[in-house]
């Protein structure tokens, strides 16, 4: 069953889609999906829709939602910050744990790209999360910002207070806030088993980011598996890559939640 849902984060409406297995005798485990920068709860080539349906078919409930300022949720993209997205993720986790269909002790998280960074931050502060998955996750926000901070972007920020990123107005607050976060340090505080997945031809987040996450988690003595998809792009945009990632991720959640 797929049901549109709305909940509040900092007094603004967050719009999502809740997937719940039709056949269940008791409460089921759940997963919260966190989309990437300029993404939505659907994601590129409907990747999040497909992931949610695969997990739901395996007996796991899924919540996918739009961060405030993205998709159908309230707010403007120009005011989006990582701190704000982290607050949305906390709220989404509380919403999922409170659902009568869901076992609150078995709710995991999956994040893609910038959403993967948010997932790492969330894992670091919420030790109740038993399992996490990071897809092409940003590991070094300072370097990621440096890639976006072109001379033209600097000029726009100075003159307009925001930079044009493919038609998205990225506010100064985003750039000021993102460098305050340290996902590699945060994720070391997790108690979760973490799967790290990345394409080795990622054009947006270098594949070495996944190695950095693996190193950080191993250093902290955490359970981690790193999987690199040969030839794959940032969002695994080919049927073969997508199938590999969806299958691997489903099995990870199945083994650690069911």
């Amino acid at each position: 069953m797929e049901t549109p849902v709305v909940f509040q984060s900092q007094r603004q409406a967050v719009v999502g889609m809740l997937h719940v297995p039709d056949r269940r005798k008791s409460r089921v485990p759940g997963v919260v999906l966190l989309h990437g920068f300029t993404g939505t709860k659907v994601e590129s080539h409907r990747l999040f829709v497909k992931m949610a349906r695969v997990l739901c078919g395996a007996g796991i409930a899924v919540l996918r939602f739009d961060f405030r300022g993205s998709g159908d949720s309230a707010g403007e993209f120009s005011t989006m910050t990582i701190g704000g997205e982290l607050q949305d993720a906390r709220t989404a986790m509380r919403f999922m744990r409170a659902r009568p269909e869901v076992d609150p002790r078995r709710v995991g998280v999956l994040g893609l790209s910038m959403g993967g960074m948010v997932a790492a931050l969330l894992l670091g502060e919420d030790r109740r999360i038993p399992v996490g998955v990071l897809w092409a996750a940003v590991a070094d926000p300072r370097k990621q910002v440096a890639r976006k901070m072109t001379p033209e972007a600097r000029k726009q920020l100075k003159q307009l207070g925001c930079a044009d990123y493919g038609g998205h107005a990225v506010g100064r607050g985003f750039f000021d806030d993102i460098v305050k976060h340290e996902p590699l340090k945060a994720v070391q505080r997790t108690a979760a088993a973490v799967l790290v997945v990345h394409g080795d031809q990622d054009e947006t987040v270098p594949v070495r980011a996944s190695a950095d996450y693996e190193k950080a988690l191993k250093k902290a003595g955490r359970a981690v598996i790193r999987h690199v998809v040969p030839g794959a792009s940032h969002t695994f945009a080919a049927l073969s890559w997508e199938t590999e990632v969806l299958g691997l991720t489903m099995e990870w959640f199945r083994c650690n939640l069911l």
Side-chain angles (χ1 to χ4, degrees), residues 5-20:
V5 295
V6 179
F7 54 93
Q8 298 289 312
S9 179
Q10 297 183 319
R11 293 182 291 181
Q12 289 185 306
V14 174
V15 178
M17 184 68 75
L18 180 66
H19 299 246
V20 178

Side-chain angles (χ1 to χ4, degrees), residues 97-239:
R97 286 172 173 154
R99 294 295 304 186
E101 312 95 331
V102 174
D103 181 349
R105 299 165 300 175
R106 293 185 292 156
V107 180
V109 65
L110 182 158
L112 168 66
S113 190
M114 200 72 77
M117 172 180 163
V118 176
L121 296 171
L122 184 66
L123 285 164
E125 69 176 34
D126 188 345
R127 291 177 58 84
R128 293 172 296 170
I129 302 174
V131 58
V133 176
L134 307 179
W135 283 353
V138 171
D140 190 333
R142 289 170 178 80
K143 287 185 179 179
Q144 203 69 24
V145 164
R147 290 160 64 95
K148 295 183 181 353
M149 194 58 76
T150 63
E152 180 62 23
R154 292 182 185 278
K155 181 179 177 182
Q156 291 172 346
L157 279 174
K158 183 176 181 179
Q159 294 179 343
L160 306 174
C162 63
D164 185 343
Y165 185 81
H168 295 270
V170 184
R172 187 183 305 278
F174 171 81
F175 294 102
D176 291 342
D177 174 74
I178 190 173
V179 295
K180 299 175 183 177
H181 300 283
E182 298 181 293
L184 292 175
K185 286 187 178 180
V187 80
Q188 292 183 63
R189 297 190 291 270
T190 189
V194 182
L195 172 66
V196 181
V197 184
H198 218 118
D200 69 2
Q201 297 301 309
D202 191 324
E203 68 285 4
T204 303
V205 179
V207 67
R208 66 175 176 271
S210 61
D212 291 340
Y213 274 113
E214 180 187 36
K215 181 179 178 180
L217 287 158
K218 284 186 174 180
K219 181 179 179 181
R222 306 308 179 201
V224 57
I225 294 292
R226 175 179 179 240
H227 182 83
V228 175
V229 183
S233 63
H234 183 55
T235 62
F236 315 106
L239 290 177

